[in-house]
């Protein structure tokens, strides 16, 4: 996983990307010498206003470096999450940024392999797909069955679809960090 300095760099980059875009419509050009941030890894950026989610967008299959994915996902979470109205510039000061850097997916053969709080789930059947991050199950205090059911629902499948042999279940882990841990370093 990432070091605290790597995490801090990504959080700063996400915040600066949002501020620049809302100030003048630009996306800042950024380069890093950090090798961990130049690797291709999937990631999600979640924006929270207090306890309220304001946007969450991720890229599962990385086609570019992690730091670039964070920039794209930060903007997409603010502007393109269809569940919410776009973030307004005056909201930026109230938003807390959370980043989840994903490990590669691992297909499982037995649901007993799923560890709630450690694993996220990615469910696939035909053209239906659904993903829930590990912290979602913890936040709602779900057990394994409820986590599976909710991931199937998110995929647009019946809640019991995880029992169907045609349903493919992957687990993954996530390095989850937010601005709240780095308040002093970020000047918040």
């Amino acid at each position: 996983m990432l070091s605290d300095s790597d995490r801090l760099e990504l959080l700063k980059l996400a915040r600066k990307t949002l501020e620049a875009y809302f100030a003048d419509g630009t996306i800042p050009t950024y380069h890093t010498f950090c090798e961990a941030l130049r690797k291709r890894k999937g990631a999600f950026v979640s924006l929270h206003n207090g306890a309220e989610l304001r946007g969450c967008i991720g890229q599962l299959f990385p086609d570019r470096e992690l730091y670039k994915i964070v920039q794209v996902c930060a903007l997409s979470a603010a502007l393109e999450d269809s569940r919410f109205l776009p973030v307004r510039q005056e909201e930026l000061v109230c938003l807390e940024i959370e980043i989840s850097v994903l490990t590669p997916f691992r297909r499982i053969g037995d649901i007993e392999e799923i560890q709630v709080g450690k694993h996220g789930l990615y469910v696939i059947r035909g053209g239906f797909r659904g993903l829930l991050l590990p912290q979602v199950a913890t936040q709602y205090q779900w057990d394994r069955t409820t986590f599976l059911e909710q991931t199937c629902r998110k995929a647009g499948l019946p809640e019991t679809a995880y029992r169907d042999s045609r349903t493919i279940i992957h687990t993954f882990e996530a390095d989850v960090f937010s601005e709240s841990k780095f308040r002093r370093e970020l000047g918040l």
Side-chain angles (χ1 to χ4, degrees):
M1 292 296 178
L2 302 174
S3 70
D4 275 352
S5 64
D6 297 338
R7 294 177 182 120
L8 184 60
E9 185 174 344
L10 286 177
L11 289 165
K12 285 180 179 178
L13 175 60
R15 172 74 57 185
K16 286 179 184 179
T17 299
L18 290 172
E19 289 171 346
Y21 183 82
F22 279 102
D24 60 18
T26 63
I27 300 171
T29 301
Y30 189 80
H31 299 286
T32 182
F33 294 104
C34 177
E35 189 164 328
L37 303 186
R38 291 189 314 217
K39 290 185 178 179
R40 291 177 182 233
K41 292 187 175 195
F44 276 76
V45 175
S46 303
L47 305 176
H48 300 272
N49 188 343
E52 178 186 358
L53 181 65
R54 284 294 285 119
C56 180
I57 297 287
Q59 188 168 341
L60 307 182
F61 305 105
D63 60 355
R64 62 192 95 183
E65 296 90 345
L66 175 59
Y67 76 94
K68 291 179 181 178
I69 286 175
V70 166
Q71 280 190 293
V72 168
C73 290
L75 283 172
S76 294
L79 303 171
E80 298 171 3
D81 189 331
S82 61
R83 299 171 294 175
F84 307 99
L85 291 173
V87 168
R88 298 177 320 276
Q89 183 173 7
E90 56 271 13
E91 286 183 89
L92 281 182
V93 69
C94 301
L95 292 182
E96 178 170 357
I97 299 169
E98 176 184 86
I99 299 172
S100 302
V101 178
L102 310 182
T103 63
F105 294 115
R106 184 178 69 83
R107 185 173 177 171
I108 62 166
D110 184 346
I111 62 170
E112 295 299 317
E113 297 176 53
I114 300 167
Q115 296 178 43
V116 175
K118 177 180 181 180
H119 293 136
L121 297 178
Y122 181 46
V123 172
I124 305 167
R125 188 167 88 199
F128 296 93
R129 300 176 184 321
L131 179 139
L132 286 174
L133 295 168
Q135 60 266 38
V136 174
T138 305
Q139 177 185 354
Y140 291 105
Q141 300 177 344
W142 290 338
D143 60 14
R144 179 185 297 127
T145 300
T146 306
F147 194 24
L148 282 159
E149 291 171 348
Q150 292 299 318
T151 309
C152 289
R153 280 187 70 206
K154 182 145 189 215
L157 295 166
E159 287 185 349
T160 57
Y162 69 91
R163 296 182 195 150
D164 188 319
S165 62
R166 296 173 297 165
T167 302
I168 299 168
I169 302 170
H170 291 91
T171 61
F172 61 93
E173 295 178 35
D175 184 359
V176 183
F177 49 95
S178 66
E179 290 176 315
S180 62
K181 180 179 177 185
F182 298 97
R183 289 202 176 285
R184 189 172 38 119
E185 294 91 335
L186 293 166
L188 301 174

